Amino acid sequence: MALMAMDDALAIFLTVLAVIVLVLDFILLCLHFLSIIYCRIHCNRKPVGLVREELPGVSILKPLVGVDPNFAENLETFFTLDYPKYELLLCVHEECDPAISIIKPLMEKYPNVDSQLFIGGERVGINPKVNNMNQGYKCSKYDLIMVSDAGCHANNDTLYDLVSHMTETVGVVHQMPYVLPRKGFASIVEMVYFGGAHARMYLGANAIGINCVTGMSSMMRKSILEDAGGMSELGKYIAEDYFMGKACWDRGFTVKVTSLFAMQNSGTYSLKRFKSRMARWCKLRLATVPPLVIFEPLTECLALGACTAWAVYFLFHVHPLVFFLCHSLVWFILDYIQLLGVQNGPLPFNKFEYTVAWITREVLAILAFIEALFDPNIKWRTGTFRLKWGGQVMEVKDEDASKGCRCYLV
């Protein structure tokens, strides 16, 4: 009798679990469709209706560390922005940084651009990016602060787009990361990811009002940040962008994603660096929102497809392999439609290359999650850090960190 009761309890548990998996799969499928529709309606729209004489000033913070083959090209696009009033605050951590040899000639080439170079940084917390740009932040003279990473390539409408979304009720606006086409298979994988799977979650989350902010290219109100403790308050977190968005939500302001994208144009890229970057982001998400340790892999096609295949087999006796292949095909097609919407034009690669890149990215996602799960260390900029629950971090010595894998920022 007891054995029968245990069997009944197990059957009920497995049934409930299978139903939960099916519901999750349905929700994510709906999110996929929502992100595609949202992209078509909201993205790739040039700002209109702005009066040039009434536009507010913007302080652009550029935290810079080292150089790559595209560094000079990317940085120059910020000296040539078509915007009436902005300042460029260039922050370098060390006097020997090779970036200085490129920054100074650009400052001389564009003397009419209000630009300043800050060297040395200021340690206000554990986050090296915040430490790097805190001096520039304190010297900024406008309420609108834009933070833009070194690998971003701006266009003339970048500031117009950000400012156009900064209404009275908005505290932070941010650009979804995408990439410029470059040579090599690794570049295709990056385009497939940022225009497909990443866009699915990023645009979907923002469409329904979830705090999903990237610090790669974003604009905030300095007055709100000061009320939250200033830039230095973000220094105790590695994921300063998430807590920047949280500070706005906590004060009754909203967060908006812009119509144009943050175009990444790093000159140094490879599949290894891409996987390491995905692992770093995954570690940050798991540490900042611990329950994601359960749901994180289920946002990916292969893991979710395998779980859903078991669920439909258990409930409806549908062949699991057939269902898994059909499930993967649907997501494969939807990711391609999403990518076309983000690209807003012809793709710089063919469908076969897309197929190989899509499969490669899906496999790398699993490997990145495994790395994130078993290694809490992040090698980031000038130090090695160990993540703690809640998003805070502690710096560790290299010999302690060498026990696990390292994840490099690109």
Side-chain angles (χ1 to χ4, degrees):
M1 184 69 69
L3 186 59
M4 291 179 61
M6 290 179 61
D7 290 341
D8 290 342
L10 179 60
I12 293 174
F13 171 76
L14 292 177
T15 300
V16 172
L17 182 61
V19 170
I20 291 174
V21 170
L22 288 180
V23 170
L24 178 61
D25 186 72
F26 177 75
I27 291 174
L28 290 177
L29 186 63
C30 291
L31 187 69
H32 213 329
F33 281 107
L34 176 63
S35 66
I36 291 173
I37 295 170
Y38 186 75
C39 179
R40 297 285 180 170
I41 296 174
H42 178 76
C43 298
N44 293 304
R45 308 284 182 179
K46 289 193 174 184
V48 295
L50 298 177
V51 180
R52 188 177 179 88
E53 292 73 19
E54 299 177 0
L55 291 171
V58 177
S59 298
I60 303 177
L61 284 171
K62 295 287 292 184
L64 307 171
V65 178
V67 299
D68 67 30
N70 294 341
F71 177 79
E73 174 191 343
N74 293 333
L75 185 58
E76 188 167 12
T77 62
F78 287 85
F79 281 89
T80 59
L81 288 169
D82 180 21
Y83 192 83
K85 186 167 56 176
Y86 73 95
E87 62 174 344
L88 201 51
L89 308 173
L90 308 162
C91 307
V92 179
H93 193 70
E94 298 176 344
E95 293 185 0
C96 60
D97 197 303
I100 297 175
S101 63
I102 294 176
I103 294 171
K104 288 185 175 180
L106 285 174
M107 295 176 70
E108 296 173 357
K109 182 178 179 180
Y110 299 97
N112 294 328
V113 175
D114 185 2
S115 60
Q116 298 182 66
L117 173 61
F118 299 88
I119 302 176
E122 182 180 16
R123 187 174 179 85
V124 294
I126 205 74
N127 187 315
K129 178 179 176 180
V130 172
N131 293 339
N132 189 6
M133 63 184 178
N134 196 61
Q135 283 186 335
Y137 169 80
K138 292 196 300 185
C139 293
S140 60
K141 57 188 179 185
Y142 300 120
D143 185 52
L144 296 184
I145 306 288
M146 178 188 180
V147 177
S148 176
D149 287 356
C152 290
H153 187 282
N155 61 57
N156 285 338
D157 291 321
T158 294
L159 284 182
Y160 284 107
D161 184 46
L162 286 161
V163 171
S164 69
H165 289 84
M166 186 64 83
T167 60
E168 293 182 358
T169 60
V170 177
V172 170
V173 294
H174 52 103
Q175 295 184 303
M176 188 193 83
Y178 191 44
V179 288
L180 288 175
R182 292 155 297 169
K183 295 180 180 179
F185 179 66
S187 174
I188 297 176
V189 172
E190 288 193 350
M191 291 193 74
V192 168
Y193 168 66
F194 283 104
H198 184 268
R200 173 209 316 154
M201 300 304 297
Y202 200 97
L203 295 178
N206 279 280
I208 60 178
I210 295 177
N211 181 17
C212 183
V213 178
T214 176
M216 183 183 303
S217 180
S218 59
M219 179 180 289
M220 74 198 87
R221 295 187 188 274
K222 188 176 183 179
S223 53
I224 296 176
L225 193 54
E226 285 296 298
D227 185 59
M231 180 69 73
S232 58
E233 178 64 19
L234 301 178
K236 60 186 178 183
Y237 306 105
I238 287 294
E240 80 288 339
D241 43 10
Y242 171 83
F243 290 96
M244 180 175 64
K246 186 177 183 298
C248 290
W249 284 112
D250 291 345
R251 286 158 181 78
F253 290 87
T254 59
V255 175
K256 294 292 184 182
V257 64
T258 62
S259 297
L260 304 181
F261 306 122
M263 302 305 294
Q264 303 170 85
N265 188 37
S266 174
T268 306
Y269 53 97
S270 65
L271 290 180
K272 181 180 179 180
R273 293 176 71 91
F274 172 76
K275 194 267 289 183
S276 295
R277 188 183 189 190
M278 296 304 101
R280 180 179 72 87
W281 283 7
C282 186
K283 292 177 186 183
L284 292 175
R285 289 192 297 271
L286 296 182
T288 304
V289 189
L292 286 179
V293 71
I294 299 174
F295 296 104
E296 174 81 17
L298 295 181
T299 62
E300 298 293 346
C301 173
L302 298 184
L304 180 61
C307 292
T308 310
W310 164 80
V312 296
Y313 174 74
F314 181 81
L315 294 174
F316 310 112
H317 304 291
V318 176
H319 196 291
L321 180 59
V322 172
F323 181 88
F324 176 79
L325 293 176
C326 292
H327 181 278
S328 299
L329 179 61
V330 170
W331 280 56
F332 170 84
I333 294 172
L334 290 177
D335 277 346
Y336 186 74
I337 296 172
Q338 181 81 76
L339 176 60
L340 289 175
V342 172
Q343 179 69 14
N344 197 34
L347 295 171
F349 47 83
N350 58 44
K351 291 183 177 63
F352 175 77
E353 291 172 316
Y354 167 78
T355 302
V356 177
W358 187 87
I359 295 173
T360 301
R361 207 293 304 180
E362 292 293 329
V363 173
L364 289 178
I366 297 174
L367 298 178
F369 176 76
I370 294 173
E371 177 181 332
L373 196 61
F374 291 100
D375 174 27
N377 294 337
I378 290 180
K379 178 68 178 179
W380 196 52
R381 294 179 183 263
T382 56
T384 302
F385 306 90
R386 181 162 296 157
L387 294 162
K388 299 187 292 184
W389 293 135
Q392 296 192 30
V393 293
M394 59 178 292
E395 193 164 10
V396 297
K397 297 180 180 180
D398 283 341
E399 56 266 26
D400 296 331
S402 62
K403 297 177 182 179
C405 300
R406 295 178 179 179
C407 188
Y408 294 88
L409 172 70
V410 294

